[in-house]
Amino acid sequence: MDKQQILDAMQEIFRDNFDDPALVLTRETCADDIEGWDSLEQINLLSACEAEFSLHFQLSDIRGLQNVGDLVDLIERMQG
């Protein structure tokens, strides 16, 4: 998958998790941009991404992620 395909799939995950069908993600989207995106929701989002992309994140993988773009890049690298 390329970065845009990953972002599109992640948008559906975010829409489902936040129950907001109008939510639009960009690479710059971060927790401050979405009401309800707290530490528990972060875990839910990462778990949903692991399931969607058949990956398993290590703490070292996700430490330091700043925004959706960082997560897209990580997923692309892990899919190799």
Short mmCIF file of all heavy atoms in Angstrom, two decimals, residues 9-10 12-14 16-18 37-59 62 65 71 74-75 78:
data_model
loop_
_atom_site.label_atom_id
_atom_site.label_comp_id
_atom_site.label_asym_id
_atom_site.label_seq_id
_atom_site.Cartn_x
_atom_site.Cartn_y
_atom_site.Cartn_z
N ALA A 9 -7.36 4.25 4.57
CA ALA A 9 -7.81 3.18 5.48
C ALA A 9 -7.84 3.68 6.92
O ALA A 9 -8.77 3.36 7.67
CB ALA A 9 -6.88 1.97 5.35
N MET A 10 -6.86 4.47 7.29
CA MET A 10 -6.84 5.02 8.65
C MET A 10 -8.00 5.98 8.88
O MET A 10 -8.56 6.02 9.97
CB MET A 10 -5.51 5.73 8.91
CG MET A 10 -4.37 4.77 9.11
SD MET A 10 -2.80 5.60 9.39
CE MET A 10 -3.20 6.64 10.79
N GLU A 12 -10.97 5.69 7.79
CA GLU A 12 -12.13 4.86 8.15
C GLU A 12 -12.04 4.36 9.59
O GLU A 12 -13.03 4.32 10.31
CB GLU A 12 -12.28 3.70 7.17
CG GLU A 12 -12.67 4.13 5.77
CD GLU A 12 -13.89 5.03 5.74
OE1 GLU A 12 -14.91 4.70 6.40
OE2 GLU A 12 -13.84 6.09 5.09
N ILE A 13 -10.83 3.99 10.01
CA ILE A 13 -10.62 3.56 11.40
C ILE A 13 -10.98 4.70 12.35
O ILE A 13 -11.70 4.51 13.33
CB ILE A 13 -9.16 3.11 11.61
CG1 ILE A 13 -8.89 1.81 10.86
CG2 ILE A 13 -8.85 2.96 13.11
CD1 ILE A 13 -7.43 1.42 10.78
N PHE A 14 -10.48 5.89 12.07
CA PHE A 14 -10.76 7.03 12.92
C PHE A 14 -12.25 7.37 12.92
O PHE A 14 -12.81 7.67 13.98
CB PHE A 14 -9.95 8.25 12.46
CG PHE A 14 -8.55 8.30 13.01
CD1 PHE A 14 -7.60 7.35 12.66
CD2 PHE A 14 -8.18 9.32 13.87
CE1 PHE A 14 -6.31 7.41 13.16
CE2 PHE A 14 -6.89 9.39 14.38
CZ PHE A 14 -5.95 8.43 14.03
N ASP A 16 -14.74 5.34 12.49
CA ASP A 16 -15.40 4.33 13.30
C ASP A 16 -15.15 4.55 14.79
O ASP A 16 -16.08 4.52 15.60
CB ASP A 16 -14.94 2.92 12.91
CG ASP A 16 -15.48 2.46 11.57
OD1 ASP A 16 -16.44 3.08 11.06
OD2 ASP A 16 -14.93 1.49 11.03
N ASN A 17 -13.90 4.76 15.16
CA ASN A 17 -13.55 4.90 16.57
C ASN A 17 -14.16 6.14 17.21
O ASN A 17 -14.53 6.11 18.37
CB ASN A 17 -12.03 4.91 16.76
CG ASN A 17 -11.45 3.52 16.76
OD1 ASN A 17 -12.06 2.58 16.24
ND2 ASN A 17 -10.27 3.37 17.30
N PHE A 18 -14.22 7.23 16.45
CA PHE A 18 -14.77 8.47 16.99
C PHE A 18 -16.24 8.66 16.63
O PHE A 18 -16.82 9.68 16.99
CB PHE A 18 -13.94 9.67 16.52
CG PHE A 18 -12.57 9.71 17.15
CD1 PHE A 18 -11.45 9.39 16.40
CD2 PHE A 18 -12.41 10.05 18.47
CE1 PHE A 18 -10.19 9.42 16.97
CE2 PHE A 18 -11.15 10.07 19.06
CZ PHE A 18 -10.04 9.76 18.30
N TRP A 37 -9.69 12.34 21.69
CA TRP A 37 -8.49 11.56 21.40
C TRP A 37 -7.57 11.68 22.60
O TRP A 37 -6.75 12.59 22.71
CB TRP A 37 -7.82 12.05 20.13
CG TRP A 37 -6.66 11.21 19.66
CD1 TRP A 37 -6.05 10.19 20.32
CD2 TRP A 37 -5.96 11.34 18.42
NE1 TRP A 37 -5.01 9.68 19.57
CE2 TRP A 37 -4.95 10.38 18.39
CE3 TRP A 37 -6.10 12.19 17.33
CZ2 TRP A 37 -4.08 10.23 17.33
CZ3 TRP A 37 -5.24 12.04 16.27
CH2 TRP A 37 -4.24 11.07 16.26
N ASP A 38 -7.73 10.76 23.52
CA ASP A 38 -6.93 10.74 24.72
C ASP A 38 -6.05 9.49 24.72
O ASP A 38 -5.97 8.79 23.70
CB ASP A 38 -7.82 10.79 25.97
CG ASP A 38 -8.86 9.68 26.00
OD1 ASP A 38 -8.72 8.66 25.27
OD2 ASP A 38 -9.82 9.80 26.78
N SER A 39 -5.40 9.20 25.83
CA SER A 39 -4.46 8.07 25.86
C SER A 39 -5.17 6.73 25.65
O SER A 39 -4.63 5.85 24.99
CB SER A 39 -3.67 8.06 27.17
OG SER A 39 -4.55 8.02 28.28
N LEU A 40 -6.37 6.58 26.19
CA LEU A 40 -7.11 5.33 25.97
C LEU A 40 -7.51 5.19 24.50
O LEU A 40 -7.39 4.12 23.91
CB LEU A 40 -8.35 5.28 26.86
CG LEU A 40 -9.22 4.04 26.72
CD1 LEU A 40 -8.41 2.77 27.01
CD2 LEU A 40 -10.41 4.12 27.65
N GLU A 41 -7.95 6.27 23.92
CA GLU A 41 -8.32 6.23 22.50
C GLU A 41 -7.10 5.97 21.63
O GLU A 41 -7.19 5.29 20.60
CB GLU A 41 -9.01 7.52 22.08
CG GLU A 41 -9.65 7.43 20.72
CD GLU A 41 -10.67 6.30 20.61
OE1 GLU A 41 -11.46 6.10 21.53
OE2 GLU A 41 -10.65 5.61 19.56
N GLN A 42 -5.94 6.46 22.04
CA GLN A 42 -4.70 6.19 21.31
C GLN A 42 -4.45 4.69 21.24
O GLN A 42 -4.11 4.15 20.18
CB GLN A 42 -3.52 6.90 21.98
CG GLN A 42 -2.19 6.65 21.33
CD GLN A 42 -1.97 7.47 20.07
OE1 GLN A 42 -2.79 8.31 19.71
NE2 GLN A 42 -0.89 7.23 19.41
N ILE A 43 -4.65 4.00 22.35
CA ILE A 43 -4.48 2.54 22.38
C ILE A 43 -5.48 1.87 21.46
O ILE A 43 -5.14 0.96 20.69
CB ILE A 43 -4.59 2.01 23.82
CG1 ILE A 43 -3.42 2.52 24.66
CG2 ILE A 43 -4.66 0.48 23.84
CD1 ILE A 43 -3.58 2.32 26.15
N ASN A 44 -6.72 2.32 21.50
CA ASN A 44 -7.75 1.75 20.61
C ASN A 44 -7.41 1.96 19.15
O ASN A 44 -7.57 1.05 18.32
CB ASN A 44 -9.12 2.38 20.91
CG ASN A 44 -9.67 1.99 22.25
OD1 ASN A 44 -9.32 0.96 22.82
ND2 ASN A 44 -10.53 2.83 22.80
N LEU A 45 -6.92 3.14 18.81
CA LEU A 45 -6.55 3.44 17.42
C LEU A 45 -5.39 2.57 16.97
O LEU A 45 -5.40 2.03 15.86
CB LEU A 45 -6.20 4.92 17.27
CG LEU A 45 -7.35 5.90 17.38
CD1 LEU A 45 -6.82 7.32 17.53
CD2 LEU A 45 -8.30 5.79 16.21
N LEU A 46 -4.38 2.46 17.81
CA LEU A 46 -3.22 1.64 17.45
C LEU A 46 -3.61 0.18 17.30
O LEU A 46 -3.15 -0.50 16.37
CB LEU A 46 -2.11 1.82 18.49
CG LEU A 46 -1.44 3.19 18.49
CD1 LEU A 46 -0.52 3.33 19.69
CD2 LEU A 46 -0.69 3.45 17.20
N SER A 47 -4.48 -0.31 18.17
CA SER A 47 -4.95 -1.70 18.06
C SER A 47 -5.73 -1.92 16.77
O SER A 47 -5.56 -2.94 16.09
CB SER A 47 -5.83 -2.07 19.26
OG SER A 47 -5.08 -2.07 20.44
N ALA A 48 -6.56 -0.95 16.42
CA ALA A 48 -7.33 -1.05 15.17
C ALA A 48 -6.40 -1.02 13.96
O ALA A 48 -6.62 -1.75 12.98
CB ALA A 48 -8.37 0.07 15.10
N CYS A 49 -5.36 -0.21 14.01
CA CYS A 49 -4.39 -0.16 12.92
C CYS A 49 -3.62 -1.47 12.82
O CYS A 49 -3.38 -1.97 11.71
CB CYS A 49 -3.42 1.00 13.11
SG CYS A 49 -4.13 2.63 12.78
N GLU A 50 -3.25 -2.05 13.95
CA GLU A 50 -2.57 -3.34 13.93
C GLU A 50 -3.44 -4.39 13.24
O GLU A 50 -2.95 -5.16 12.40
CB GLU A 50 -2.24 -3.81 15.35
CG GLU A 50 -1.09 -3.08 15.99
CD GLU A 50 -0.81 -3.54 17.40
OE1 GLU A 50 -1.77 -3.89 18.14
OE2 GLU A 50 0.37 -3.56 17.77
N ALA A 51 -4.72 -4.41 13.58
CA ALA A 51 -5.63 -5.38 12.98
C ALA A 51 -5.83 -5.12 11.49
O ALA A 51 -5.79 -6.05 10.67
CB ALA A 51 -6.98 -5.36 13.71
N GLU A 52 -6.03 -3.87 11.13
CA GLU A 52 -6.28 -3.51 9.72
C GLU A 52 -5.10 -3.83 8.82
O GLU A 52 -5.27 -4.31 7.70
CB GLU A 52 -6.61 -2.01 9.63
CG GLU A 52 -6.75 -1.48 8.22
CD GLU A 52 -7.99 -1.96 7.50
OE1 GLU A 52 -8.97 -2.35 8.18
OE2 GLU A 52 -7.99 -1.94 6.26
N PHE A 53 -3.89 -3.56 9.31
CA PHE A 53 -2.70 -3.70 8.48
C PHE A 53 -1.89 -4.95 8.80
O PHE A 53 -0.80 -5.13 8.27
CB PHE A 53 -1.83 -2.45 8.60
CG PHE A 53 -2.53 -1.19 8.16
CD1 PHE A 53 -2.98 -0.26 9.08
CD2 PHE A 53 -2.77 -0.94 6.81
CE1 PHE A 53 -3.62 0.90 8.69
CE2 PHE A 53 -3.42 0.20 6.40
CZ PHE A 53 -3.85 1.12 7.34
N SER A 54 -2.42 -5.81 9.67
CA SER A 54 -1.74 -7.06 10.07
C SER A 54 -0.31 -6.80 10.56
O SER A 54 0.65 -7.39 10.09
CB SER A 54 -1.72 -8.05 8.90
OG SER A 54 -3.02 -8.35 8.49
N LEU A 55 -0.21 -5.87 11.51
CA LEU A 55 1.07 -5.49 12.09
C LEU A 55 1.02 -5.65 13.60
O LEU A 55 -0.05 -5.80 14.19
CB LEU A 55 1.36 -4.01 11.79
CG LEU A 55 1.43 -3.58 10.34
CD1 LEU A 55 1.50 -2.06 10.26
CD2 LEU A 55 2.63 -4.19 9.66
N HIS A 56 2.19 -5.57 14.22
CA HIS A 56 2.27 -5.52 15.67
C HIS A 56 3.30 -4.46 16.04
O HIS A 56 4.47 -4.60 15.72
CB HIS A 56 2.66 -6.87 16.27
CG HIS A 56 2.74 -6.83 17.76
ND1 HIS A 56 1.63 -6.70 18.56
CD2 HIS A 56 3.81 -6.86 18.59
CE1 HIS A 56 2.02 -6.66 19.82
NE2 HIS A 56 3.34 -6.75 19.86
N PHE A 57 2.82 -3.38 16.67
CA PHE A 57 3.70 -2.30 17.06
C PHE A 57 4.42 -2.65 18.36
O PHE A 57 3.84 -3.22 19.27
CB PHE A 57 2.92 -1.00 17.30
CG PHE A 57 2.19 -0.49 16.09
CD1 PHE A 57 0.82 -0.30 16.12
CD2 PHE A 57 2.87 -0.18 14.92
CE1 PHE A 57 0.14 0.19 15.01
CE2 PHE A 57 2.20 0.30 13.80
CZ PHE A 57 0.82 0.49 13.86
N GLN A 58 5.67 -2.27 18.43
CA GLN A 58 6.44 -2.30 19.66
C GLN A 58 6.40 -0.89 20.25
O GLN A 58 6.21 0.09 19.52
CB GLN A 58 7.89 -2.71 19.39
CG GLN A 58 8.05 -4.08 18.76
CD GLN A 58 7.60 -5.19 19.68
OE1 GLN A 58 7.82 -5.16 20.87
NE2 GLN A 58 6.92 -6.19 19.12
N LEU A 59 6.60 -0.79 21.55
CA LEU A 59 6.61 0.53 22.18
C LEU A 59 7.63 1.45 21.50
O LEU A 59 7.36 2.63 21.27
CB LEU A 59 6.91 0.41 23.68
CG LEU A 59 6.90 1.71 24.46
CD1 LEU A 59 5.56 2.43 24.33
CD2 LEU A 59 7.21 1.44 25.92
N ILE A 62 6.18 3.19 18.39
CA ILE A 62 5.16 4.23 18.51
C ILE A 62 5.57 5.41 19.39
O ILE A 62 4.94 6.45 19.35
CB ILE A 62 3.83 3.64 18.99
CG1 ILE A 62 4.00 2.95 20.34
CG2 ILE A 62 3.26 2.70 17.94
CD1 ILE A 62 2.69 2.46 20.95
N LEU A 65 5.58 9.31 18.14
CA LEU A 65 4.68 9.68 17.04
C LEU A 65 4.01 11.01 17.36
O LEU A 65 3.46 11.18 18.44
CB LEU A 65 3.61 8.60 16.82
CG LEU A 65 4.07 7.23 16.34
CD1 LEU A 65 2.89 6.27 16.26
CD2 LEU A 65 4.77 7.32 15.01
N LEU A 71 2.42 8.14 11.81
CA LEU A 71 1.87 6.78 11.87
C LEU A 71 1.77 6.16 10.48
O LEU A 71 2.09 4.98 10.28
CB LEU A 71 0.51 6.78 12.58
CG LEU A 71 -0.15 5.44 12.80
CD1 LEU A 71 0.76 4.46 13.54
CD2 LEU A 71 -1.47 5.63 13.57
N LEU A 74 5.21 5.06 9.53
CA LEU A 74 5.59 3.85 10.28
C LEU A 74 4.95 2.61 9.66
O LEU A 74 5.61 1.60 9.43
CB LEU A 74 5.18 4.00 11.75
CG LEU A 74 5.34 2.76 12.62
CD1 LEU A 74 6.80 2.33 12.70
CD2 LEU A 74 4.74 3.00 13.99
N ILE A 75 3.66 2.71 9.36
CA ILE A 75 2.95 1.56 8.77
C ILE A 75 3.55 1.21 7.42
O ILE A 75 3.79 0.03 7.13
CB ILE A 75 1.45 1.86 8.66
CG1 ILE A 75 0.83 1.91 10.06
CG2 ILE A 75 0.74 0.81 7.79
CD1 ILE A 75 -0.59 2.46 10.10
N MET A 78 6.81 -0.62 8.00
CA MET A 78 6.62 -1.95 8.56
C MET A 78 6.08 -2.93 7.51
O MET A 78 6.34 -4.11 7.59
CB MET A 78 5.71 -1.90 9.78
CG MET A 78 6.36 -1.20 10.97
SD MET A 78 5.29 -1.14 12.41
CE MET A 78 5.46 -2.84 13.00
#
